[in-house]
Amino acid sequence: MNKPWASRPLALGGAVLGILAVATPAVQADPVKVKLVKSATVSVAGSPDSTFPFNNDQPSVSQFDCGKGYVPIAAGWKGTNTPTSGPGWFVGTKKDTTKYGYRLSIARGLAPGSMQARTVCAKGPVKAVRKETAQGSVARCGSKTALGYMNLVSVKQSAAVSSTPAGRTGWRQEGMASEYSNSAAVCVHKKAFKKVRSVTKSTSFTLGNRTATIVAKCPKGSRALAWGFSSPLMPANAWSGSGSIQSPFVESAVPAKSKWTLTFSTPDLQGAKEQAQVSATAVCGQPRSR
């Protein structure tokens, strides 16, 4: 929390300067407000030819959807049977990058499904900017706080996948080797959120279950700002067709005020044949009050 500067009169003309200091109100920054915004739900047809083509209709949340003064800082989704390569960050034009948002690139899975974007929007001095670097490296935000997001090119991941914090100011993504997949983060002002920390929880698939769900809860008084995950190879449930999916994919990443709930699905949408362990991370912080 910023404190107004204490004004002290100088020895020479101190009475006059002292009166001016008292009469001038301290300049204070606006508080940071956070809210959740949902897109319309998109129905996704199954893909019987097992090619996992991308769906034409992609749910999105823009700065306009967030509301006046708000900007999107993290994107999640609620889905069923629908793999996604993650939320692409888009801007209005090259000359006007102040209008931006997230668009989920979703694929038609082996069965009919659905997808709804659920975005964290913030208002106040967050000063959000995007940073990207090569996959496997750390996208660095300098002194700013990194709120990372999954940034895969394809849902067909033939490797273990992860998107995790690298301290408070960085984010790293690991996945199938690709020149187009990057470690990516939205960088927000250091003072926008205090007491930033990450909470990671893990679980394993129960044999015979298609999904595994994890709830990563924030400490009392903190908001859930962004999320990360890790997903290992699961060869016994690998899907093969025009490419392959060998690691469980994030079917849902649902934000709430103080938690993220992640649901993982087996690659082939069948009951788990092995107890693969997956993890979910919530990035938590207290919005600046003034």
Side-chain angles (χ1 to χ4, degrees):
M1 180 177 70
N2 287 348
K3 296 182 179 179
W5 291 103
S7 300
R8 296 181 179 178
L10 299 177
L12 181 61
V16 175
L17 291 176
I19 291 173
L20 288 175
V22 172
T24 303
V27 177
Q28 305 244 351
D30 292 333
V32 172
K33 298 180 179 179
V34 179
K35 67 178 181 179
L36 301 175
V37 175
K38 302 176 183 178
S39 75
T41 298
V42 172
S43 295
V44 182
S47 179
D49 58 0
S50 300
T51 59
F52 277 79
F54 277 102
N55 200 55
N56 291 329
D57 194 0
Q58 313 286 355
S60 64
V61 173
S62 69
Q63 185 173 356
F64 175 80
D65 297 317
C66 282
K68 185 177 181 180
Y70 282 85
V71 294
I73 59 172
W77 59 86
K78 182 174 178 59
T80 304
N81 295 334
T82 310
T84 176
S85 61
W89 179 274
F90 66 90
V91 298
T93 66
K94 290 183 178 180
K95 292 184 178 180
D96 182 9
T97 59
T98 61
K99 298 178 181 179
Y100 55 86
Y102 289 106
R103 180 180 293 113
L104 290 169
S105 296
I106 57 178
R108 298 178 182 179
L110 295 173
S114 63
M115 181 72 76
Q116 179 191 61
R118 298 199 176 186
T119 301
V120 181
C121 301
K123 180 180 182 180
V126 294
K127 300 181 179 179
V129 296
R130 178 174 60 110
K131 294 287 186 180
E132 287 191 5
T133 190
Q135 182 172 259
S137 301
V138 177
R140 301 189 183 280
C141 290
S143 64
K144 292 187 172 185
T145 298
L147 303 178
Y149 59 96
M150 187 171 73
N151 188 34
L152 302 169
V153 171
S154 173
V155 301
K156 300 172 184 177
Q157 293 293 310
S158 57
V161 183
S162 64
S163 177
T164 54
R168 180 184 62 82
T169 61
W171 202 272
R172 178 189 289 108
Q173 177 180 284
E174 302 278 0
M176 184 178 66
S178 170
E179 60 181 307
Y180 301 109
S181 295
N182 291 327
S183 297
V186 174
C187 306
V188 297
H189 197 281
K190 179 181 180 180
K191 294 183 179 180
F193 303 99
K194 62 181 182 179
K195 296 185 178 179
V196 174
R197 59 169 294 186
S198 299
V199 176
T200 299
K201 299 293 183 180
S202 300
T203 193
S204 296
F205 278 85
T206 299
L207 294 178
N209 286 3
R210 182 183 70 82
T211 61
T213 298
I214 310 173
V215 179
K217 295 182 179 180
C218 293
K220 185 176 181 180
S222 291
R223 288 286 312 230
L225 305 175
W227 64 280
F229 76 101
S230 65
S231 182
L233 289 172
M234 199 173 187
N237 283 94
W239 168 86
S240 295
S242 58
S244 65
I245 302 179
Q246 298 185 32
S247 61
F249 62 86
V250 180
E251 184 173 88
S252 290
V254 180
K257 184 176 180 180
S258 60
K259 64 184 180 182
W260 283 85
T261 302
L262 269 63
T263 298
F264 295 83
S265 173
T266 57
D268 59 358
L269 302 185
Q270 301 298 313
K273 298 175 183 177
E274 56 186 302
Q275 294 178 307
Q277 185 179 72
V278 290
S279 69
T281 297
V283 179
C284 311
Q286 296 180 0
R288 178 182 185 142
S289 58
R290 65 186 180 95

